[in-house]
Amino acid sequence: MIAALLLVHLVAFAAYLGAGFAQTQIMKLSARDGTAAVLRDEYERLAAVIVTKIELPAIFASMASGVVFITQNPALMKQGWLHGKLTVVLVLVVLSHLEMFNARKIVRARASGAASADEEIERRKRNHGAMGTIGALLVVVLLVLVTFVRLG
């Protein structure tokens, strides 16, 4: 049971990482100069779909399996590294939601065709890139917590 639960936990985390990386890179591609409008629009929609249908469900699956770990061994809650990990995971969940809302607003703004949409979209894409950078740094912190701090 523990091995299967660990597999679910790690596969979900890997899916979260892959989806986060993919949607961030796709959003960057959509912002590149010279990208055809049709392709740019598809990139934006694809990034929104990835964060909504892969990244968020993956982090929730990872969290659910983590909850099962804790219910099976409540003594884990006495370990300081786990409190740090849980805090980072909660921030990542919030960040993923913000990325989802942002990506969806980009798609909606593009669909509106309003003259002011380009400025808003450009600003939102910069914000999206910043959120991706923050997320990447938080993942590094999480990995340090579960390796060096936990085993240190």
Side-chain angles (χ1 to χ4, degrees), residues 46-122:
L46 182 58
V49 167
I50 289 171
V51 72
T52 304
K53 294 187 178 183
I54 301 173
E55 184 176 329
L56 277 168
I59 199 166
F60 281 119
S62 192
M63 287 173 43
S65 60
V67 167
V68 175
F69 276 126
I70 292 170
T71 58
Q72 288 182 341
N73 185 5
L76 285 171
M77 289 304 292
K78 293 181 181 178
Q79 298 181 16
W81 67 268
L82 185 63
H83 292 270
K85 178 185 177 184
L86 294 174
T87 301
V88 170
V89 168
L90 287 176
V91 174
L92 286 171
V93 168
V94 170
L95 190 61
S96 289
H97 276 86
L98 293 174
E99 286 177 322
M100 177 188 67
F101 298 140
N102 190 60
R104 287 177 165 183
K105 286 180 182 178
I106 289 170
V107 171
R108 277 197 299 275
R110 183 75 66 202
S112 76
S116 62
D118 286 340
E119 292 173 16
E120 177 188 353
I121 291 168
E122 187 177 323

Side-chain angles (χ1 to χ4, degrees), residues 7-51:
L7 179 66
V8 168
H9 193 70
L10 294 175
V11 167
F13 185 65
Y16 171 77
L17 287 178
F21 179 77
Q23 62 92 6
T24 301
Q25 294 305 307
I26 290 168
M27 192 63 80
K28 283 181 187 177
L29 287 173
S30 76
R32 244 206 245 156
D33 289 334
T35 302
V38 173
L39 186 57
R40 176 201 62 209
D41 297 355
E42 285 302 316
Y43 280 155
E44 292 166 354
R45 280 192 286 275
L46 182 58
V49 167
I50 289 171
V51 72

